[in-house]
Amino acid sequence: MPTDVVIYIFALCFIFGLVMGSALNCQAYRMANKKSWTKGHSICPDCHHELKAKDLVPLFSYLFLKGKCRYCGKPVSKRYPITELIMALGYCAILWRFDLTIQTLVCMVLYSCLFTLSLIDLD
């Protein structure tokens, strides 16, 4: 494959990993705290303000807001960007190892499940 296509595929994989890391982190938090993980919106744990879409862009919102809530200014846990980054790097590592195969998809699903269970255990 041409180099630019490979870079594009890895960039998409990285972004997908960030998004999945954010979603699975939210799911783990809600499941550990006995809340519905299919309903409701994300909120600031301190001021309970409902977060808007611009506050939920994986990794980048944390960096642009300097790790603080846009509404109350209190620090946001480092867990969020770390888990998003770990998930993105894990997805890229799986893609690197298995290339574009069905095994890549299977490994990503397994990795996501195990990662989510680990986060629930941490909570």
Side-chain angles (χ1 to χ4, degrees):
M1 251 189 287
T3 307
D4 54 339
V5 173
V6 172
I7 292 170
Y8 180 72
I9 290 170
F10 272 95
L12 285 177
C13 182
F14 186 82
I15 292 168
F16 182 65
L18 287 175
V19 170
M20 288 301 296
S22 179
L24 295 176
N25 194 26
C26 178
Q27 177 186 2
Y29 173 81
R30 289 179 182 190
M31 290 177 78
N33 291 293
K34 310 264 191 277
K35 296 180 180 179
S36 172
W37 58 274
T38 58
K39 296 178 186 170
H41 297 278
S42 294
I43 60 169
C44 172
D46 290 313
C47 67
H48 302 288
H49 192 280
E50 187 177 301
L51 302 177
K52 308 245 187 278
K54 63 183 176 183
D55 303 320
L56 298 172
V57 179
L59 190 60
F60 297 104
S61 289
Y62 185 88
L63 295 174
F64 290 138
L65 295 172
K66 298 181 177 129
K68 296 182 180 176
C69 173
R70 178 186 308 273
Y71 307 99
C72 67
K74 292 195 178 173
V76 175
S77 172
K78 287 182 176 56
R79 170 182 164 160
Y80 297 103
I82 290 171
T83 56
E84 292 163 0
L85 194 56
I86 289 172
M87 185 63 78
L89 293 174
Y91 275 20
C92 286
I94 292 168
L95 179 62
W96 180 270
R97 170 65 177 88
F98 296 108
D99 204 24
L100 288 174
T101 63
I102 194 70
Q103 191 160 5
T104 302
L105 182 61
V106 170
C107 287
M108 285 180 175
V109 169
L110 179 61
Y111 176 64
S112 298
C113 291
L114 293 174
F115 194 76
T116 304
L117 290 172
S118 298
L119 291 173
I120 292 170
D121 282 347
L122 285 173
D123 283 336

